[in-house]
């Protein structure tokens, strides 16, 4: 599931334009749910909705360190909320979700990651993975993707953490950022993703590429172009 400013997107294509001159804050984020039945969808939807309202309710004037501290507080809160739903409803026990996103607040850009969904940047036709997978393979020093996630929101993770970086001075016109679930990165090689983005492919086309490659998992993607 994807949050694009104030729009929650699942199973559809969506396009919008945002101008930082007119906005004090916004979030573009992707959550990939885990859990049986509909539990994963609940975890991802609840997390994105909670994040949306949390960012909008932040007071103005927070410093970079204060913003990061508030996000740590939010992570603990939403993790407890997801866990509590599982305690109340056994069908949602151990449900959880990853989260990767870009936030704009107070004139500064931040990116965040919890889990193994990914954030890539295309600059000068070259694709770079900015986020680090919180997975068993990463812990073992392997670069390939792993289905064993070592950090997420919910799913029994009592000590969830989130990578947070302020990168305002490294956002350049022409940059393209890709947020995606492992349903894309597992099925389409980085070199092929790079080629598709260089061809101007949309998020929907990237998802189609994963399906064409034999996609066996739900796939979500969001492409952010900086003008």
């Amino acid at each position: 599931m994807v949050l694009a400013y104030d729009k929650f997107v699942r199973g559809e294509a969506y396009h919008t334009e945002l101008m930082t001159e007119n906005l004090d804050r916004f979030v573009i984020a992707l959550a990939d749910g885990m859990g049986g039945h509909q539990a994963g969808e609940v975890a991802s939807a609840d997390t994105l909705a909670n994040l949306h309202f949390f960012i909008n309710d932040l007071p103005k004037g927070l410093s970079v360190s204060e913003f990061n501290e508030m996000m740590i507080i939010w992570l603990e809160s939403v993790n407890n909320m997801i866990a509590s739903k599982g305690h109340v409803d056994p069908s949602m026990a151990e449900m959880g979700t990853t989260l990767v996103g870009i936030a704009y607040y107070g004139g500064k850009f931040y990116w965040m990651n919890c889990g193994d969904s990914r954030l890539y940047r295309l600059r000068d036709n070259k694709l770079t993975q900015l986020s680090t997978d919180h997975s068993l393979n990463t812990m073992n020093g392997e670069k390939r993707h792993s289905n064993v996630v070592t950090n997420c929101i919910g799913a029994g993770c009592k000590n969830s953490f989130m990578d947070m970086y302020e990168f305002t001075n490294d956002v350049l016109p022409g940059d393209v950022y890709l947020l995606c679930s492992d349903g894309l990165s597992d099925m389409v090689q980085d070199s092929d993703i790079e080629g598709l983005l260089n061809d101007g492919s949309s998020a929907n086309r990237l998802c189609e590429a994963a399906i064409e490659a034999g996609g066996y998992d739900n796939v979500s993607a969001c492409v952010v172009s900086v003008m």
Side-chain angles (χ1 to χ4, degrees), residues 37-130:
H37 303 292
Q38 302 299 313
E41 292 186 4
V42 172
S44 60
D46 283 0
T47 295
L48 291 180
N50 196 287
L51 176 63
H52 174 61
F53 288 113
F54 180 83
I55 294 294
N56 283 339
D57 286 343
L58 284 176
K60 293 183 177 180
L62 295 178
S63 66
V64 171
S65 61
E66 288 171 334
F67 181 85
N68 288 341
E69 289 171 4
M70 293 298 291
M71 292 305 300
I72 292 172
I73 293 171
W74 171 80
L75 179 64
E76 181 179 1
S77 174
V78 74
N79 197 37
N80 290 336
M81 180 193 73
I82 296 297
S84 66
K85 281 198 171 186
H87 295 149
V88 173
D89 186 344
S91 69
M92 297 184 182
E94 300 299 309
M95 72 175 179
T97 185
T98 67
L99 177 71
V100 64
I102 296 172
Y104 179 77
Y105 168 86
K108 296 185 180 300
F109 284 97
Y110 302 80
W111 69 258
M112 64 192 79
N113 177 55
C114 178
D116 65 347
S117 292
R118 293 181 175 180
L119 174 65
Y120 291 95
R121 181 188 64 207
L122 183 76
R123 175 180 289 172
D124 297 329
N125 300 321
K126 180 176 176 56
L127 188 72
T128 303
Q129 182 180 340
L130 300 182

Side-chain angles (χ1 to χ4, degrees), residues 173-188:
D175 284 350
V176 176
Y177 293 89
L178 168 66
L179 292 72
C180 68
S181 67
D182 60 355
L184 175 61
S185 56
D186 275 354
M187 302 307 302
V188 184

Side-chain angles (χ1 to χ4, degrees), residues 130-167:
L130 300 182
S131 61
T132 298
D133 294 350
H134 299 157
S135 67
L136 184 61
N137 279 354
T138 299
M139 292 178 62
N140 293 334
E142 300 179 52
K143 293 186 178 181
R144 63 189 179 89
H145 190 269
S146 170
N147 289 327
V148 180
V149 179
T150 56
N151 177 48
C152 63
I153 296 171
C157 288
K158 296 181 180 180
N159 298 306
S160 296
F161 64 92
M162 186 158 58
D163 296 335
M164 284 285 301
Y165 294 93
E166 187 263 318
F167 70 126

